[in-house]
Amino acid sequence: MFPKNMFFFLILTLTTASVQDDNFTYNGFGAAKLHLDGIAEIAPNGLLILTDTREPAKGHAFLPTPLRFKNSTTGKALSFSTSFIFAIVPKYQDLFGHGIAFVLAQSANLSYALPSQFLGLFNSSNPYSSNQIVAIEFDTNMNPEFNDIDNNHVGIDVNGPKSLSSKHAAYDNGGGLKSLNLVSGKPIQAWIEYNHLDGQLNVTLAPADVAKPSVPCLSSNVNLSSWISDYMYVGFSSAVGPFITSHYMLGWSFKLNGKAQALDLSQLPSLPRIGSKSTLESWKIGLLIILAIVLLLIITIGVIFFVKSSTKFREVFEDWELEYGPQRFCYKDLFLATKGFRDQHLLGAGGFGRVYKGVLPDSEIPVAVKQVSHESRQGMREFIAEIVSIGRLRHRNLVQLLGYCRRKGELLLVYEFMPNSSLDKYLFNQPKLMLSWGQRFHIIKGVASALYYLHEGWEKVVVHRDIKASNILLDDQMNGRLGDFGLARLYDHGTDPQTTHVVGTLGYLAPELTKTGKATTGTDVFAFGGFLLEVACGRRPIEIRASEEDVVLVDKVLECWKAGTILEARDPNLGNQYIVEEMEMVLKLGLLCSHPNSSSRPPMRLVMRILERDAPLPEISEDGWNAEVSGMGEGGFDNYGMSGSSLLTMSACSPSTMESLPLTGR
Ligand SMILES: *[C@@H]1O[C@H](CO)[C@@H](O)[C@H](O)[C@H]1NC(C)=O
Ligand SMILES: *[C@@H]1O[C@H](CO)[C@@H](O)[C@H](O)[C@H]1NC(C)=O
Ligand SMILES: *[C@@H]1O[C@H](CO)[C@@H](O)[C@H](O)[C@H]1NC(C)=O
Ligand SMILES: *[C@@H]1O[C@H](CO)[C@@H](O)[C@H](O)[C@H]1NC(C)=O
Ligand SMILES: *[C@@H]1O[C@H](CO)[C@@H](O)[C@H](O)[C@H]1NC(C)=O
Ligand SMILES: *[C@@H]1O[C@H](CO)[C@@H](O)[C@H](O)[C@H]1NC(C)=O
Ligand SMILES: *[C@@H]1O[C@H](CO)[C@@H](O)[C@H](O)[C@H]1NC(C)=O
């Protein structure tokens, strides 16, 4: 298969021209002045053979001297026009590669270049070459890595095998667009024209026996001035890969600053005849082809699988995340855990994103994966730092945050899985299963102790910001677990710090929060008050109801309390299955915590002691209630917008000073 020494091919034909030869026509290359390398050669009949049956190989044919391609006064690329006739003859009908290119190159030494898909012009390193190259490729293979559109296209390549612009090879000689098979084995004529005025480059092609179509196949604005240097070599390159394909050039005309002469078809050399093979040889070849196809198929499937899986599981990882290694989950694991984030695994979808159930592949730990879409990268670092520090919080009434994973535009938070869903499912809208008073009181005490831990039990004061029944999750023993904290913080970042949006949920927003936008332990206590009333009354803090006074739950409970019948506000579904003292205490505590004046609300430390009957319930002050109780009174907050201060906030009203404030009786 390799009859000649591969390093033997530097053939300099004739002498180098002393005058710039920028107008020439070769009808056959018998007398052409060309510099050949690779396996290129000129047959005795004048046929330029760029590649033949040797493979893999490359072949080049260039003018021996570079042409001045730029106007010396303006520095702009000159117009040019060229026309040539080529033929690509594959040895086997469906196996061929890789193509021919018309080339302008700063250096004609292309020893660094690779054959096959690199067309003898580029190599696989990045950048693809240090040589300056503009090539018009006639590419007969589809290489997805170079964004090739198909296996029969014309493209403009600048300094790399990825085309700036490309088109399926076709022509229209008046009878509509016809596809042109580049590997038909028949001669094809191509015209390339560049106009320096508008930087437009046209590539037209047609079978050699068809006149030049008036509409180019590919027309593209490529301002060559920025891509070429003053002097450029002009010529052709061709390359073969594993499939034997011959690339021939029959004629070539070229003119700088003008229109190239038409080729004379009658003078062109003829292509070699394709000899018939013995039946034995074709049988062997057939077998080889089948083998090759099978191999190719296996490789293609492998490559597709590899490419697909590597993009599917692509993550975003930055240096500063190194220290969070243990908290960082690998996307592939989460993908496998949730069976590809399938709908069957969807646990719920809320304001912040969708939550999926999953089982981690190796440890088989059940988890809930929250998918939060997040475009802005701004503030991500601080947010992740907070998420990780939240992950260090440990309390039996908190939903444990196990870690996170980051992808482009997406954040995934991994939590401990809570089998019994969220509390609201058991309270509102005729629940399938109603919680007994004992269960409810147990959940209330659990949530109170979790909130007390966040406010006072850790090295920093953590404000939850979004306490409500739907954020209380239930574990397998029906303990209340506070979840979903910190997410509000994510939406803080990227918003203008000057504008204050309030985050939270309507009906749980303390009045001062809507004014100052600053979340504090006091605003958490307010939301906790709303939660107490929800659990005791079995309804949401704000519900559109028949009677207008009943819309806001706190107002209703307050009315009952003023009338001395606070127990009437309780969940009617409970019947009389409840403990009167506990119910009364929870309702009154709910009111106390929901006081519009933050200084009248008890701190969580006191709330805990009251629930444990360790401290007496303070009297409720009747003063100050006429302020907007529910936070609905004044506009200016955005229901799902986000708020100002930090999640890990050293709260302005520290719990200890709050406790010393009198909880006024009358
Ligand atoms: C270009 O060369 C051709 C012959 O190859 C000649 O007929 C023609 O006049 C030349 N054109 C110019 C502008 O020199
Ligand atoms: C170069 O540009 C100048 C100014 O536009 C023009 O007069 C001259 O003919 C150009 N030279 C060539 C070789 O095109
Ligand atoms: C082409 O370049 C290579 C290395 O860049 C060099 O070794 C070789 O001698 C050059 N060939 C010619 C003909 O200049
Ligand atoms: C690719 O070609 C450049 C020259 O254009 C050369 O510097 C580089 O070493 C080559 N890379 C490989 C992998 O051959
Ligand atoms: C390229 O083709 C377009 C459309 O046919 C034509 O208007 C334009 O003049 C051509 N440009 C060149 C440089 O031939
Ligand atoms: C809570 O979860 C446990 C364990 O999955 C289960 O046995 C129990 O029935 C659940 N309770 C309710 C009320 O769904
Ligand atoms: C809140 O209560 C404190 C003490 O009870 C009082 O000094 C303050 O003026 C009250 N604030 C409002 C806005 O009513």
mmCIF file of all heavy atoms in Angstrom, residues 346-356 370-373 466 468 470-471 484 487 491 640:
data_model
loop_
_atom_site.group_PDB
_atom_site.id
_atom_site.type_symbol
_atom_site.label_atom_id
_atom_site.label_comp_id
_atom_site.label_asym_id
_atom_site.label_seq_id
_atom_site.Cartn_x
_atom_site.Cartn_y
_atom_site.Cartn_z
ATOM 1 N N LEU A 346 -41.321 13.580 41.136
ATOM 2 C CA LEU A 346 -41.581 14.948 41.567
ATOM 3 C C LEU A 346 -42.367 14.931 42.874
ATOM 4 O O LEU A 346 -43.414 14.300 42.964
ATOM 5 C CB LEU A 346 -42.386 15.653 40.469
ATOM 6 C CG LEU A 346 -42.476 17.167 40.551
ATOM 7 C CD1 LEU A 346 -41.097 17.787 40.406
ATOM 8 C CD2 LEU A 346 -43.390 17.679 39.445
ATOM 9 N N LEU A 347 -41.837 15.614 43.875
ATOM 10 C CA LEU A 347 -42.541 15.686 45.155
ATOM 11 C C LEU A 347 -43.408 16.931 45.209
ATOM 12 O O LEU A 347 -44.429 16.966 45.876
ATOM 13 C CB LEU A 347 -41.538 15.743 46.309
ATOM 14 C CG LEU A 347 -40.746 14.477 46.610
ATOM 15 C CD1 LEU A 347 -39.666 14.778 47.634
ATOM 16 C CD2 LEU A 347 -41.673 13.397 47.129
ATOM 17 N N GLY A 348 -42.979 17.959 44.528
ATOM 18 C CA GLY A 348 -43.743 19.194 44.559
ATOM 19 C C GLY A 348 -43.000 20.280 43.818
ATOM 20 O O GLY A 348 -41.817 20.146 43.494
ATOM 21 N N ALA A 349 -43.712 21.340 43.520
ATOM 22 C CA ALA A 349 -43.090 22.472 42.848
ATOM 23 C C ALA A 349 -43.588 23.716 43.540
ATOM 24 O O ALA A 349 -44.781 23.867 43.776
ATOM 25 C CB ALA A 349 -43.468 22.490 41.384
ATOM 26 N N GLY A 350 -42.652 24.563 43.919
ATOM 27 C CA GLY A 350 -43.055 25.766 44.645
ATOM 28 C C GLY A 350 -42.440 26.990 44.006
ATOM 29 O O GLY A 350 -41.904 26.932 42.903
ATOM 30 N N GLY A 351 -42.530 28.089 44.746
ATOM 31 C CA GLY A 351 -42.015 29.340 44.237
ATOM 32 C C GLY A 351 -40.548 29.258 43.855
ATOM 33 O O GLY A 351 -40.117 29.878 42.907
ATOM 34 N N PHE A 352 -39.774 28.454 44.582
ATOM 35 C CA PHE A 352 -38.335 28.441 44.346
ATOM 36 C C PHE A 352 -37.882 27.365 43.379
ATOM 37 O O PHE A 352 -36.751 27.374 42.924
ATOM 38 C CB PHE A 352 -37.579 28.279 45.653
ATOM 39 C CG PHE A 352 -37.684 29.482 46.530
ATOM 40 C CD1 PHE A 352 -38.213 29.398 47.788
ATOM 41 C CD2 PHE A 352 -37.255 30.713 46.061
ATOM 42 C CE1 PHE A 352 -38.306 30.518 48.593
ATOM 43 C CE2 PHE A 352 -37.345 31.831 46.857
ATOM 44 C CZ PHE A 352 -37.877 31.736 48.129
ATOM 45 N N GLY A 353 -38.723 26.410 43.093
ATOM 46 C CA GLY A 353 -38.297 25.383 42.146
ATOM 47 C C GLY A 353 -38.987 24.061 42.409
ATOM 48 O O GLY A 353 -39.875 23.953 43.256
ATOM 49 N N ARG A 354 -38.533 23.048 41.678
ATOM 50 C CA ARG A 354 -39.159 21.741 41.786
ATOM 51 C C ARG A 354 -38.363 20.851 42.730
ATOM 52 O O ARG A 354 -37.149 20.954 42.819
ATOM 53 C CB ARG A 354 -39.206 21.078 40.404
ATOM 54 C CG ARG A 354 -40.130 21.821 39.451
ATOM 55 C CD ARG A 354 -39.692 21.654 38.019
ATOM 56 N NE ARG A 354 -40.068 20.370 37.453
ATOM 57 C CZ ARG A 354 -41.250 20.123 36.903
ATOM 58 N NH1 ARG A 354 -42.164 21.056 36.835
ATOM 59 N NH2 ARG A 354 -41.528 18.940 36.410
ATOM 60 N N VAL A 355 -39.063 19.978 43.429
ATOM 61 C CA VAL A 355 -38.404 19.080 44.369
ATOM 62 C C VAL A 355 -38.649 17.641 43.929
ATOM 63 O O VAL A 355 -39.779 17.268 43.620
ATOM 64 C CB VAL A 355 -38.953 19.256 45.795
ATOM 65 C CG1 VAL A 355 -38.123 18.450 46.777
ATOM 66 C CG2 VAL A 355 -38.968 20.718 46.188
ATOM 67 N N TYR A 356 -37.561 16.864 43.883
ATOM 68 C CA TYR A 356 -37.663 15.483 43.450
ATOM 69 C C TYR A 356 -37.229 14.545 44.566
ATOM 70 O O TYR A 356 -36.313 14.854 45.319
ATOM 71 C CB TYR A 356 -36.761 15.236 42.243
ATOM 72 C CG TYR A 356 -37.191 15.987 41.010
ATOM 73 C CD1 TYR A 356 -36.771 17.294 40.791
ATOM 74 C CD2 TYR A 356 -38.017 15.391 40.064
ATOM 75 C CE1 TYR A 356 -37.162 17.995 39.670
ATOM 76 C CE2 TYR A 356 -38.417 16.080 38.936
ATOM 77 C CZ TYR A 356 -37.986 17.385 38.742
ATOM 78 O OH TYR A 356 -38.380 18.060 37.628
ATOM 79 N N LYS A 370 -33.791 19.587 45.490
ATOM 80 C CA LYS A 370 -34.501 20.786 45.058
ATOM 81 C C LYS A 370 -33.726 21.435 43.924
ATOM 82 O O LYS A 370 -32.539 21.717 44.050
ATOM 83 C CB LYS A 370 -34.615 21.750 46.236
ATOM 84 C CG LYS A 370 -35.457 22.953 45.905
ATOM 85 C CD LYS A 370 -35.982 23.581 47.170
ATOM 86 C CE LYS A 370 -37.293 24.277 46.896
ATOM 87 N NZ LYS A 370 -38.209 24.241 47.996
ATOM 88 N N GLN A 371 -34.450 21.647 42.836
ATOM 89 C CA GLN A 371 -33.831 22.217 41.644
ATOM 90 C C GLN A 371 -34.230 23.686 41.592
ATOM 91 O O GLN A 371 -35.393 24.005 41.429
ATOM 92 C CB GLN A 371 -34.441 21.505 40.444
ATOM 93 C CG GLN A 371 -33.497 21.192 39.342
ATOM 94 C CD GLN A 371 -34.227 20.475 38.208
ATOM 95 O OE1 GLN A 371 -35.451 20.434 38.156
ATOM 96 N NE2 GLN A 371 -33.471 19.922 37.301
ATOM 97 N N VAL A 372 -33.263 24.560 41.740
ATOM 98 C CA VAL A 372 -33.562 25.986 41.734
ATOM 99 C C VAL A 372 -32.907 26.595 40.515
ATOM 100 O O VAL A 372 -31.699 26.488 40.341
ATOM 101 C CB VAL A 372 -32.988 26.673 42.997
ATOM 102 C CG1 VAL A 372 -33.431 28.111 43.065
ATOM 103 C CG2 VAL A 372 -33.392 25.934 44.241
ATOM 104 N N SER A 373 -33.689 27.200 39.668
ATOM 105 C CA SER A 373 -33.046 27.815 38.505
ATOM 106 C C SER A 373 -32.543 29.181 38.931
ATOM 107 O O SER A 373 -33.201 29.907 39.672
ATOM 108 C CB SER A 373 -34.009 27.915 37.333
ATOM 109 O OG SER A 373 -34.956 28.904 37.592
ATOM 110 N N ASP A 466 -39.095 32.389 56.270
ATOM 111 C CA ASP A 466 -40.284 31.904 55.566
ATOM 112 C C ASP A 466 -40.949 30.760 56.329
ATOM 113 O O ASP A 466 -41.113 29.658 55.813
ATOM 114 C CB ASP A 466 -39.901 31.485 54.136
ATOM 115 C CG ASP A 466 -41.105 31.528 53.205
ATOM 116 O OD1 ASP A 466 -42.167 32.020 53.621
ATOM 117 O OD2 ASP A 466 -40.982 31.066 52.052
ATOM 118 N N LYS A 468 -43.958 28.814 57.660
ATOM 119 C CA LYS A 468 -45.376 28.607 57.345
ATOM 120 C C LYS A 468 -45.616 27.106 57.275
ATOM 121 O O LYS A 468 -44.664 26.327 57.167
ATOM 122 C CB LYS A 468 -45.731 29.267 56.017
ATOM 123 C CG LYS A 468 -44.904 28.775 54.838
ATOM 124 C CD LYS A 468 -45.344 29.452 53.564
ATOM 125 C CE LYS A 468 -44.370 29.137 52.450
ATOM 126 N NZ LYS A 468 -44.689 29.840 51.221
ATOM 127 N N SER A 470 -46.524 25.091 55.050
ATOM 128 C CA SER A 470 -46.019 24.303 53.926
ATOM 129 C C SER A 470 -44.505 24.141 53.971
ATOM 130 O O SER A 470 -43.938 23.350 53.227
ATOM 131 C CB SER A 470 -46.466 24.914 52.601
ATOM 132 O OG SER A 470 -46.043 26.242 52.534
ATOM 133 N N ASN A 471 -43.826 24.890 54.843
ATOM 134 C CA ASN A 471 -42.387 24.696 55.016
ATOM 135 C C ASN A 471 -42.061 23.836 56.233
ATOM 136 O O ASN A 471 -40.906 23.690 56.602
ATOM 137 C CB ASN A 471 -41.670 26.038 55.145
ATOM 138 C CG ASN A 471 -41.383 26.646 53.789
ATOM 139 O OD1 ASN A 471 -41.449 25.952 52.776
ATOM 140 N ND2 ASN A 471 -41.080 27.923 53.763
ATOM 141 N N ASP A 484 -36.406 24.305 54.229
ATOM 142 C CA ASP A 484 -36.425 25.323 53.192
ATOM 143 C C ASP A 484 -35.903 26.686 53.601
ATOM 144 O O ASP A 484 -36.298 27.682 53.043
ATOM 145 C CB ASP A 484 -37.852 25.499 52.683
ATOM 146 C CG ASP A 484 -37.849 25.594 51.163
ATOM 147 O OD1 ASP A 484 -36.771 25.418 50.577
ATOM 148 O OD2 ASP A 484 -38.901 25.852 50.598
ATOM 149 N N LEU A 487 -33.340 29.887 51.205
ATOM 150 C CA LEU A 487 -33.555 30.084 49.779
ATOM 151 C C LEU A 487 -33.908 31.522 49.446
ATOM 152 O O LEU A 487 -33.525 32.028 48.406
ATOM 153 C CB LEU A 487 -34.669 29.169 49.281
ATOM 154 C CG LEU A 487 -34.174 27.797 48.858
ATOM 155 C CD1 LEU A 487 -35.295 27.033 48.224
ATOM 156 C CD2 LEU A 487 -33.010 27.940 47.888
ATOM 157 N N TYR A 491 -32.416 34.826 46.280
ATOM 158 C CA TYR A 491 -33.052 35.807 45.409
ATOM 159 C C TYR A 491 -32.715 37.226 45.810
ATOM 160 O O TYR A 491 -33.041 38.172 45.126
ATOM 161 C CB TYR A 491 -34.549 35.548 45.344
ATOM 162 C CG TYR A 491 -34.789 34.369 44.462
ATOM 163 C CD1 TYR A 491 -34.615 33.079 44.927
ATOM 164 C CD2 TYR A 491 -35.102 34.553 43.115
ATOM 165 C CE1 TYR A 491 -34.770 32.001 44.099
ATOM 166 C CE2 TYR A 491 -35.258 33.472 42.279
ATOM 167 C CZ TYR A 491 -35.104 32.197 42.774
ATOM 168 O OH TYR A 491 -35.240 31.133 41.945
ATOM 169 N N TYR A 640 -43.745 37.735 45.759
ATOM 170 C CA TYR A 640 -42.676 36.755 45.618
ATOM 171 C C TYR A 640 -41.348 37.428 45.385
ATOM 172 O O TYR A 640 -40.410 36.829 44.929
ATOM 173 C CB TYR A 640 -42.999 35.794 44.479
ATOM 174 C CG TYR A 640 -44.191 34.946 44.821
ATOM 175 C CD1 TYR A 640 -45.434 35.208 44.274
ATOM 176 C CD2 TYR A 640 -44.049 33.914 45.742
ATOM 177 C CE1 TYR A 640 -46.521 34.442 44.619
ATOM 178 C CE2 TYR A 640 -45.137 33.154 46.087
ATOM 179 C CZ TYR A 640 -46.383 33.411 45.524
ATOM 180 O OH TYR A 640 -47.454 32.656 45.867
#
